[in-house]
Amino acid sequence: MKVDVLCIAAHPDDVEMTSAGTVLSLVDQGKTVAVIDLTQGELGTRGSAEIRLQEAAEGARIMRLTDRQNMGFRDGFFRNDEEHQRTLIAWIRHYQPSIVLTNTVEDRHPDHGRAAELVTDACFYSGLRQIQTTDPITGELQVAHRPGYVYYFIQDRSLMPDFVVDITPYWEQKLEAIKAYKSQFFNPESPDPQSYISGEPFMKFLESRTRDQGHMINVEFGEGFISKRMLGVANLFDLK
């Protein structure tokens, strides 16, 4: 199942918070997008693994994903080691993406930075033909595939992006995708204990962050990304 863009995130809802607008804009451009959630977020203060899987399915529907998979890695305890890399390599080769979007290399949650390192290494090793893997769906021997680009989405820390995607037409849909996670975000009717992201101020922060990044390119709403490699353009008029 080849896709144009593969988003790989530590937890369900990471993609919705950081990149839902970009995903929706890509889909409207005719691109195919899939998401891999590394964990089920089972260590979260609110909800449960089962609830979050249901919420992730709703998020996938709203973002119109081609596919969404969960690796079932241990929340908080997955590692950037050979076992985890080989599992991820098989899925990268399964999807054969041109672009990978993943967690930022520096963030409040330790899982985010560790996920970024794991994904970065797996994307590189996925291009080495001497590493043999079988397709997780068909069981067939896979060919090597290395994504052309890996970009890191900005989440909690106020990091300076290398580029910003205009998501102004998609802000309301992004918000809908975030709110699919009723167990996690602001819900005055929830009996669960409060968490870092469950209060109304955090929702206001997400909006202000998206507005701030949009302001950087003179639009209303934007999503920023970091690149480890130098970016180039063929046409100066493509720049905002």
Side-chain angles (χ1 to χ4, degrees):
M1 182 188 293
K2 178 174 173 53
V3 298
D4 297 304
V5 179
L6 177 62
C7 305
I8 308 176
H11 310 109
D13 74 25
D14 283 353
V15 171
E16 282 82 352
M17 277 193 284
T18 61
S19 311
T22 299
V23 169
L24 287 159
S25 69
L26 287 166
V27 172
D28 271 356
Q29 294 169 47
K31 304 299 184 183
T32 51
V33 183
V35 168
I36 290 176
D37 300 308
L38 298 181
T39 78
Q40 297 177 350
E42 64 269 20
L43 294 185
T45 302
R46 296 157 64 97
S48 65
E50 293 75 16
I51 290 172
R52 295 189 75 170
L53 286 173
Q54 295 171 8
E55 294 169 339
E58 177 63 7
R61 183 193 68 79
I62 294 168
M63 293 189 294
R64 291 177 282 154
L65 299 178
T66 297
D67 195 30
R68 187 169 203 162
Q69 297 288 337
N70 193 294
M71 295 296 94
F73 294 165
R74 291 181 64 201
D75 191 14
F77 296 101
F78 69 87
R79 291 290 176 261
N80 180 17
D81 57 19
E82 182 179 351
E83 179 184 359
H84 290 81
Q85 288 168 6
R86 283 186 175 273
T87 299
L88 204 51
I89 287 168
W91 281 101
I92 292 169
R93 289 175 173 177
H94 173 78
Y95 288 118
Q96 299 184 349
S98 298
I99 295 173
V100 167
L101 305 180
T102 191
N103 293 99
T104 187
V105 294
E106 177 188 353
D107 210 30
R108 171 182 176 272
H109 199 306
D111 282 0
H112 296 168
R114 192 163 58 254
E117 293 174 358
L118 170 59
V119 172
T120 300
D121 289 351
C123 283
F124 182 85
Y125 293 140
S126 183
L128 301 181
R129 66 183 183 86
Q130 297 292 358
I131 297 177
Q132 294 190 352
T133 57
T134 56
D135 190 277
I137 301 297
T138 66
E140 297 177 356
L141 192 65
Q142 294 178 303
V143 297
H145 173 82
R146 180 175 296 145
Y149 307 92
V150 179
Y151 300 130
Y152 306 87
F153 44 70
I154 296 172
Q155 197 155 345
D156 187 80
R157 295 289 185 248
S158 296
L159 305 176
M160 181 61 67
D162 291 309
F163 65 92
V164 176
V165 177
D166 179 7
I167 67 153
T168 303
Y170 303 99
W171 165 247
E172 293 298 333
Q173 288 174 275
K174 174 185 172 78
L175 197 58
E176 183 183 358
I178 293 171
K179 290 181 177 179
Y181 295 83
K182 296 178 181 178
S183 70
Q184 300 302 304
F185 298 104
F186 179 61
N187 180 2
E189 298 179 0
S190 174
D192 290 337
Q194 291 298 304
S195 72
Y196 179 74
I197 65 173
S198 66
E200 189 174 15
F202 188 80
M203 295 301 295
K204 292 180 178 178
F205 158 74
L206 287 180
E207 179 173 351
S208 64
R209 162 63 59 76
T210 313
R211 286 186 179 275
D212 177 60
Q213 292 180 340
H215 181 72
M216 293 178 181
I217 58 169
N218 199 32
V219 300
E220 190 171 5
F221 294 102
E223 290 175 340
F225 297 86
I226 294 171
S227 175
K228 285 189 173 182
R229 59 180 289 182
M230 181 61 66
L231 300 174
V233 295
N235 184 348
L236 290 179
F237 290 93
D238 289 337
L239 297 174
K240 284 188 175 289

